[in-house]
Amino acid sequence: MTRPVLALTLGDPAGIGPEITAGTLAAVAGEEGHHGVAVGDAEALRRGARAAGVAAEVREITDFGTAPAGPGVIDVLDTGVLGDDLPPFGTVDARAGRAAVAAIETATRAALDGAVAGVVTGPINKEAIWQAGSKHLGHTEMLGELTGVTRQDTMFVVRNTAAEGHHLRIFFTTRHLSLRSALDRITRENVLRAIREAATALRVFGVPEPRLAVAALNPHGGENGAFGDEEIVHIGPACEAARAEGLDVTGPVPADSVFHQGLTGRYDGVLSHFHDQGHIPAKTYDFDGTISVTVGLPILRTSVDHGTAFDIAGTGTADHGTMLSAYRAAVDYSPAVPLIRRTYGS
């Protein structure tokens, strides 16, 4: 694919998604080698562009194969859910939820059909999509159903600006669970499965001989059972089993140091065990640059790692930096699409 076309979903039209999509597309308009197309309601994108102060023409297209018009023009494939009847910024609205879901469905179908190389998703509001009738917890589960995949995982990509070219990838044994529920899922079998999946993802996304660290769960790695025995009973044995399979795995490594070690180049990836264990270091180190890649899908999907920011939606203060990073990551990963399909396709 000499010039990858990427579909950028607007997310919830009452949030900052249209603003950061407009800012991203305006920033890359006219660049050679790729073409970004917004997917969602055209009027929502126009409103977002005005709010963000983006002085670009919003051109409606009907075919992802349409050639880009160059600087000053951003393209949108209009899903036509809302028309001119836009929900107010910063409100939870079932209409906005329906629009967000329609954009995801349209972009995903295009990726499955090969019309686009990948999908870059803007932030959605879970309550809004639930009001619209969706039963999914969020993007990842929705994409799994749309692509026929029963298990997907999240890979955070964190840039180290001090080490040129080095990116740390963060994986998760569990994701959207309460902390109490997540702790019950930290078993030898689940950790070993997560290690295997992380190693596969690292290879698919460009690390041929991945070095993976597995975080400990308890303070100081449990201090030989004084602060908890998960490292002894579950995490340590999972690491040993992975090494017996030939994987380059270190762990368990105390969580208060493993992310720093990864950022400085000792590891290519870190497996964290619950949502905040991986999210907090990534977002603290580089909130605007950290992006999310969904692995396990037969399509390429990158995403911002923040929410709809209803409190600032429409004010023009939203930073499109994370969306731009997610877009550029999708461009960089687009050559891997054939391998992604072979590895994760049914």
Side-chain angles (χ1 to χ4, degrees), residues 102-299:
I104 296 164
E105 292 173 343
T106 300
T108 302
R109 284 194 298 268
L112 288 170
D113 292 343
V116 299
V119 179
V120 182
T121 54
I124 61 174
N125 179 274
K126 292 179 174 58
E127 187 177 349
I129 67 168
W130 295 337
Q131 287 185 8
S134 175
K135 305 301 181 184
H136 298 292
L137 290 175
H139 267 119
T140 304
E141 295 78 12
M142 192 184 310
L143 289 164
E145 181 176 288
L146 291 170
T147 59
V149 172
T150 57
R151 178 171 173 79
Q152 319 87 45
D153 297 288
T154 296
M155 177 177 76
F156 271 9
V157 181
V158 187
R159 305 173 301 176
N160 185 354
T161 53
E164 185 65 29
H166 178 67
H167 293 167
L168 173 65
R169 285 82 166 180
I170 299 176
F171 301 89
F172 301 84
T173 304
T174 68
R175 292 186 302 108
H176 290 137
L177 293 172
S178 71
L179 181 56
R180 188 176 300 280
S181 297
L183 296 179
D184 292 336
R185 304 287 182 92
I186 308 304
T187 65
R188 178 188 180 280
E189 293 74 18
N190 287 344
V191 173
L192 179 57
R193 180 180 61 188
I195 291 171
R196 291 168 176 157
E197 291 171 345
T200 297
L202 285 166
R203 286 191 290 266
V204 167
F205 288 94
V207 185
E209 296 181 359
R211 301 161 300 157
L212 181 71
V214 177
L217 183 68
N218 294 298
H220 307 292
E223 290 283 13
N224 294 318
F227 300 153
D229 64 1
E230 285 84 359
E231 288 77 14
I232 297 171
V233 176
H234 299 294
I235 302 172
C239 293
E240 292 173 7
R243 286 191 287 270
E245 295 177 3
L247 299 178
D248 186 349
V249 176
T250 302
V253 182
D256 60 1
S257 58
V258 70
F259 297 100
H260 170 75
Q261 292 171 0
L263 280 167
T264 55
R266 186 177 300 184
Y267 310 114
D268 302 299
V270 172
L271 176 64
S272 60
H273 298 297
F274 56 91
H275 183 279
D276 283 6
Q277 189 181 47
H279 278 243
I280 290 173
K283 294 182 179 180
T284 299
Y285 181 79
D286 189 6
F287 187 91
D288 290 330
T290 297
I291 60 102
S292 175
V293 180
T294 303
V295 297
L297 299 175
I299 65 171

Side-chain angles (χ1 to χ4, degrees), residues 18-19 21-29 35-38 45-46 48-49 54-61 69-77:
E19 296 169 70
T21 302
T24 295
L25 290 177
V28 301
H35 182 203
V37 177
L45 181 60
R46 290 189 177 99
V54 173
E57 174 192 348
V58 175
R59 181 178 68 157
E60 296 181 34
I61 63 174
V73 180
I74 58 180
D75 289 334
V76 59
L77 194 143

Side-chain angles (χ1 to χ4, degrees), residues 1-69:
M1 196 173 295
T2 57
R3 185 181 67 200
V5 180
L6 298 168
L8 289 74
T9 63
L10 296 187
D12 191 302
I16 64 171
E19 296 169 70
I20 62 176
T21 302
T24 295
L25 290 177
V28 301
E31 291 185 2
E32 297 293 329
H34 51 85
H35 182 203
V37 177
V39 178
D41 283 86
E43 285 305 313
L45 181 60
R46 290 189 177 99
R47 183 177 71 168
R50 290 193 299 271
V54 173
E57 174 192 348
V58 175
R59 181 178 68 157
E60 296 181 34
I61 63 174
T62 58
D63 187 336
F64 284 108
T66 302

